[in-house]
Each structure stands twice: as structure tokens, then as C-alpha cells.
């Protein structure tokens, strides 16, 4: 079959990537969606098992650090677009092992940029390199204000520094070589299939097993939460309608102090598990803070809303309830990803914090 577009998605076995791949495969039967992923601890083919037999979907296990493999695939497949999500994505791991973030997030992105430039050989009509980034590149806010697309970069963790560097390289390939690029920077995502190292799935897992809930510092750090399917919808929107060379901030218009969010999750989990009110909240334990912990992130998403007509489709109450239900109905998934190496990570990260 000949496809109207061939799209390469990197990191499509991870949390956000799996939702992006699903949306694209199901919405565009006339596109070929080609997913490459190294399948690190965070990549899981179970996340996209439902797509395996889709005729317009292909998967190959490729490390984006493997420049030859990436270049060969890009030449062979003549992709119209690259949607680049593959990354090391967890701040706490970046504090434990910063170099892994430099390798994948910086060098891996440069490999992809080189491969796109080589394969497209100056023929940039109907081509796009779409880089998925984070609001963390902008640093940390005080009690007021929002990150806009023109906020100066001020990354403060090894993770956000590596993502900021990758954003800079993507822009450099645009300005220097004319590569057609677009970048979006999104706030914190939540939803099904998120690896339980991040706040929401970690706390669901711990509540279920009646383990302590480790709240970093005073718990008053603030994040802007967006349901992952709405991020995938925004990525679809930017992929099709984003203007070349532009940046789009994506957010949920939905700020929560960690402790308020945790209290809400505890109440909802008590209801869903039939536990007495206050049961889960009794697990809340304040622990040693994350070093360099960014105080507040908040996105001004008015540009994508105004220029491209995107806005979130679910409220936070709906999204959180769907998310808790998904984890409670997919306990096998949670059990399988928390066996083995997870325990070593957990012990290293939390042992000396309590
Ligand atoms: P994730 O950690 O769940 O998934 C990352 C995926 O990339 C995994 O499938 C992993 O196997 C793959 N990968 C890692 N290294 C690779 C390599 N060298 N080669 C090929 N594949 C590799 O991450 P996520 O939360 O889904 O984030 C996806 C992207 O979105 C990242 O670029 C991240 O910076 C960005 N982002 C995430 C959030 C969030 O809240 N999670 C918010 C904004 C932006
Ligand atoms: P996280 O999900 O790691 O996302 P990010 O650091 O990229 O925003 O953390 C969200 C917030 O929750 C952040 O302020 C750190 C805090 N947090 C805890 O208090 N305890 C935990 O065990 C974790 C993982 C996070």
C-alpha cells in the first residue's frame, strides 16, 4: 500500500509516545507510523500491544545513539516527518546519572537531526522535524507569572539542561541548515502507562500497597498537570498545523501544589478502594527534598489555543479519575514494571530520605 505520509515517531513505547502513536495510527489510516524505541526501563511494548496488528504501524528496536542505524532507516523510509519523543525523562534519575541524559537527550537528538538532514538532502518540501520538549527548560517560577514561548531558558536540573541543549540544537539546525523544525514545550503529563517513578503513578502504587508516600520538602512545590491524551492531541495539532521554526507551549491551565494534589488522590483512592476516609492520607510522609527542586512551573498555553485552536478536552477531575481507574484496572501492568530493577532504583532513590 502506498501511504500519503510516512511518519517516524521516536520513543513510542514510552508513556507519552505510546499515546501519540495510538492517536496517529488510529486517526490516519493512510499514514504509515513507524515507531523506533530502545526499550529502556521506561519503554514497554505492552503500552502499544493493541496496535501490533494495525496495517499502518511498524516498530523497530533502535537506539537513537546508533547513528548508522538511524541514518540508514531515514534513507530507506524517506519519512515526511519525525516526531521526536525518545529521551531520558526523570529528574531524580538525572541527578543520579547525568551523563545518560547528555547521551540520549543531546547526542541522540543530534544524531536524528543529522540523519534527517542527510536523508532529506536539502529537499525540505513536505518535511518536518518535530521536537517534543518540556516546560522545565524555562527554570523555576515564583508565586506569580507564567512561562511563555519567549521566556528565557534557565534550566536547573541535569534533565532540564539536557532538554534545553537539545532544543538549542534543533533551532541551530533550522537556522544553519534550513531544516524545517517545530518545537513544543509541555507541562507535567499524567495518565495511563506512566512509569511509576513519577509522582502520580508512584503514589497510586504506594497507596495500593500501603507504603509511605514520600513528599519532597514542604510539599508546596507547584506543577501544571495535563492529561496525556490531550498532550497527544496537541502534538497531532502542531504536527499538522504548526508553523515552521515556531515554538508552542502546551499546558493544562491547571496548577496544583503537590500536597493538595496528593490529598485529593488519597481521598479518591480511599473511595475507589473502599477504604475508610483518611486511610491513604495517613501514609503521607515528608522526606528530604530533591536537590535544586524547581519551585513552580506554570505554562501560558494561549498561543497554541489562539493560533492552532487546541485546548484540553478533559477536566482535571475527569482525567485524574480516569487515571486512577486505569491503574486499578491494570494492576498486572503496574506489577510487571515494578518487579526487578525497579526495586533497586526505589531503594537508591528513597532509602536515605526518610
Ligand atoms: P518516558 O521515559 O516514559 O519514555 C521515553 C521513551 O524513550 C521510552 O520508551 C524509552 O525506551 C525511549 N528511549 C530512551 N532512550 C532511548 C534511546 N537512546 N533510543 C531510543 N529510545 C529511547 O518519557 P515520557 O514521559 O513519555 O516523555 C516523552 C518525551 O516528552 C520526552 O522527550 C520528555 O522530555 C517529554 N516531556 C515529558 C513530559 C512528562 O510529563 N512526562 C512533559 C513534557 C515533555
Ligand atoms: P515528577 O513527577 O518527578 O515530575 P517533575 O519533577 O518533572 O515535575 O514530580 C512532580 C512533583 O512531585 C515535583 O515537585 C517533585 C514531587 N515529588 C515528590 O514530592 N515525591 C516523589 O516521590 C516524587 C517522584 C516527586
Amino acid at each position: 500500500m502506498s501511504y500519503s505520509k510516512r511518519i517516524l515517531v521516536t520513543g513510542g513505547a514510552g508513556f507519552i509516545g505510546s499515546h501519540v502513536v495510538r492517536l496517529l495510527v488510529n486517526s490516519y489510516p493512510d499514514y504509515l507510523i513507524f515507531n523506533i524505541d530502545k526499550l529502556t526501563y521506561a519503554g514497554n511494548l505492552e503500552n502499544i500491544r493493541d496496535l501490533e496488528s494495525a496495517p499502518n504501524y511498524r516498530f523497530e528496536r533502535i537506539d537513537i545513539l546508533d547513528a548508522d542505524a538511524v541514518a540508514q532507516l531515514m534513507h530507506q523510509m524517506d519519512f515526511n516527518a519525525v516526531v521526536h519523543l525518545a529521551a531520558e525523562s526523570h529528574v531524580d534519575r538525572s541527578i543520579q546519572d547525568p551523563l545518560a541524559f547528555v547521551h540520549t537527550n543531546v547526542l541522540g537528538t543530534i544524531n536524528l537531526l543529522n540523519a534527517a538532514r542527510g536523508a532529506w538532502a536539502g529537499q525540505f518540501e513536505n518535511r518536518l522535524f518535530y521536537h517534543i520538549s518540556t516546560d522545565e527548560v524555562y527554570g523555576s517560577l515564583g508565586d506569580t507569572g507564567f512561562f511563555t514561548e519567549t521566556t528565557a531558558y534557565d534550566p536547573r536540573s541535569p534533565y532540564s539542561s539536557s532538554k534545553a541543549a537539545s532544543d538549542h540544537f534543533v533551532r541551530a539546525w533550522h537556522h544553519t541548515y534550513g531544516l524545517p523544525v517545530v518545537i513544543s514545550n509541555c507541562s507535567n503529563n499524567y495518565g495511563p502507562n506512566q512509569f511509576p517513578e513519577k509522582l502520580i503513578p508512584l503514589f497510586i502504587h504506594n497507596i495500593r500497597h500501603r507504603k509511605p508516600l514520600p513528599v519532597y520538602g514542604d510539599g508546596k512545590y507547584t506543577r501544571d498537570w495535563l492529561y496525556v491524551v490531550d498532550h497527544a492531541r496537541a502534538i497531532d495539532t502542531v504536527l499538522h498545523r504548526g508553523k515552521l521554526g515556531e515554538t508552542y507551549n502546551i499546558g493544562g491551565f491547571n496548577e496544583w501544589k503537590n500536597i493538595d494534589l496528593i490529598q485529593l488522590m488519597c481521598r479518591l483512592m480511599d473511595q475507589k478502594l473502599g477504604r475508610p476516609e483518611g486511610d491513604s492520607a495517613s501514609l503521607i510522609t515528608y522526606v528530604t527534598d530533591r536537590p535544586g527542586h524547581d519551585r513552580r512551573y506554570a505554562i501560558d498555553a494561549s498561543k497554541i489555543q489562539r493560533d492552532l485552536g487546541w485546548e484540553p478536552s478533559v477536566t482535571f477531575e475527569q482525567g485524574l479519575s480516569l487515571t486512577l481507574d486505569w491503574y486499578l484496572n491494570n494492576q498486572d501492568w503496574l506489577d510487571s514494571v515494578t518487579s526487578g530493577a525497579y526495586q533497586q532504583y526505589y531503594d537508591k532513590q528513597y532509602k536515605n530520605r526518610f
Side-chain angles (χ1 to χ4, degrees):
M1 149 147 196
S2 76
Y3 294 99
S4 65
K5 279 190 180 173
R6 290 168 304 286
I7 299 189
L8 177 66
V9 179
T10 71
F15 166 49
I16 301 170
S18 62
H19 289 276
V20 170
V21 167
R22 179 171 299 103
L23 185 71
L24 295 178
V25 167
N26 291 336
S27 308
Y28 304 99
D30 56 322
Y31 289 7
L32 176 69
I33 308 302
F34 201 118
N35 174 14
I36 63 169
D37 196 297
K38 180 184 175 183
L39 301 180
T40 66
Y41 77 91
N44 186 345
L45 290 177
E46 281 307 316
N47 294 349
I48 36 174
R49 188 67 73 205
D50 55 312
L51 301 177
E52 261 171 13
S53 55
N56 63 332
Y57 171 70
R58 281 172 69 181
F59 172 78
E60 237 175 83
R61 184 173 194 174
I62 291 181
D63 184 340
I64 57 167
L65 286 168
D66 184 343
D68 291 341
V70 169
Q72 202 187 329
L73 181 74
M74 296 273 294
H75 271 285
Q76 191 190 321
M77 293 302 299
D78 192 27
F79 292 111
N80 300 101
V82 177
V83 183
H84 175 36
L85 296 111
E88 290 291 338
S89 68
H90 188 39
V91 174
D92 290 327
R93 284 189 196 251
S94 81
I95 295 168
Q96 286 185 13
D97 181 13
L99 260 186
F101 286 67
V102 176
H103 287 142
T104 290
N105 299 359
V106 185
L107 298 179
T109 299
I110 295 173
N111 276 343
L112 284 166
L113 288 165
N114 278 336
R117 189 176 160 232
W120 295 343
Q123 304 299 308
F124 294 145
E125 190 81 359
N126 202 15
R127 311 279 192 191
L128 179 67
F129 189 102
Y130 180 8
H131 180 60
I132 309 301
S133 194
T134 167
D135 62 352
E136 306 193 21
V137 299
Y138 298 121
S140 181
L141 290 165
D143 288 341
T144 57
F146 295 90
F147 298 135
T148 71
E149 287 80 1
T150 55
T151 300
Y153 275 34
D154 184 22
R156 297 148 54 101
S157 75
Y159 164 65
S160 56
S161 302
S162 68
K163 291 297 292 187
S166 68
D167 294 7
H168 290 319
F169 278 104
V170 172
R171 290 195 182 96
W173 258 242
H174 178 64
H175 292 293
T176 310
Y177 307 114
L179 199 77
V181 310
V182 67
I183 300 178
S184 58
N185 297 77
C186 189
S187 63
N188 287 60
N189 284 213
Y190 69 97
N193 302 99
Q194 188 170 30
F195 194 80
E197 60 190 356
K198 307 269 168 57
L199 180 75
I200 290 182
L202 175 73
F203 277 39
I204 294 172
H205 180 63
N206 284 12
I207 289 173
R208 189 180 143 223
H209 291 285
R210 288 205 159 83
K211 285 172 68 174
L213 304 176
V215 180
Y216 293 164
D218 65 2
K220 292 182 183 152
Y221 294 84
T222 300
R223 297 292 182 263
D224 169 0
W225 293 94
L226 178 67
Y227 190 54
V228 64
V229 174
D230 280 328
H231 187 192
R233 288 175 52 252
I235 289 173
D236 180 13
T237 303
V238 173
L239 173 66
H240 287 94
R241 299 212 299 280
K243 226 172 116 202
L244 292 186
E246 290 285 316
T247 296
Y248 296 91
N249 279 357
I250 305 169
F253 306 98
N254 178 43
E255 283 184 55
W256 285 80
K257 283 195 169 58
N258 290 342
I259 191 63
D260 296 335
L261 169 58
I262 291 161
Q263 295 279 9
L264 172 64
M265 281 176 58
C266 287
R267 279 199 301 280
L268 290 171
M269 285 292 278
D270 283 344
Q271 287 164 16
K272 289 182 191 283
L273 291 168
R275 292 180 183 173
E277 204 183 316
D279 199 53
S280 300
S282 68
L283 299 168
I284 290 173
T285 310
Y286 287 89
V287 301
T288 310
D289 209 349
R290 171 187 283 173
H293 197 168
D294 287 336
R295 192 63 171 167
R296 174 171 166 258
Y297 304 142
I299 277 276
D300 175 351
S302 53
K303 177 177 171 183
I304 186 173
Q305 193 177 35
R306 183 186 62 241
D307 292 359
L308 305 183
W310 171 88
E311 56 188 14
S313 68
V314 296
T315 64
F316 187 57
E317 288 66 26
Q318 290 166 330
L320 190 61
S321 183
L322 285 169
T323 302
L324 301 185
D325 288 343
W326 186 86
Y327 285 95
L328 292 174
N329 292 330
N330 290 274
Q331 299 192 9
D332 290 351
W333 184 92
L334 210 40
D335 288 342
S336 72
V337 300
T338 50
S339 62
Y342 178 83
Q343 203 48 51
Q344 285 158 25
Y345 162 77
Y346 195 84
D347 290 346
K348 192 167 172 201
Q349 179 60 27
Y350 293 99
K351 198 174 60 192
N352 297 320
R353 280 202 136 83
F354 285 96

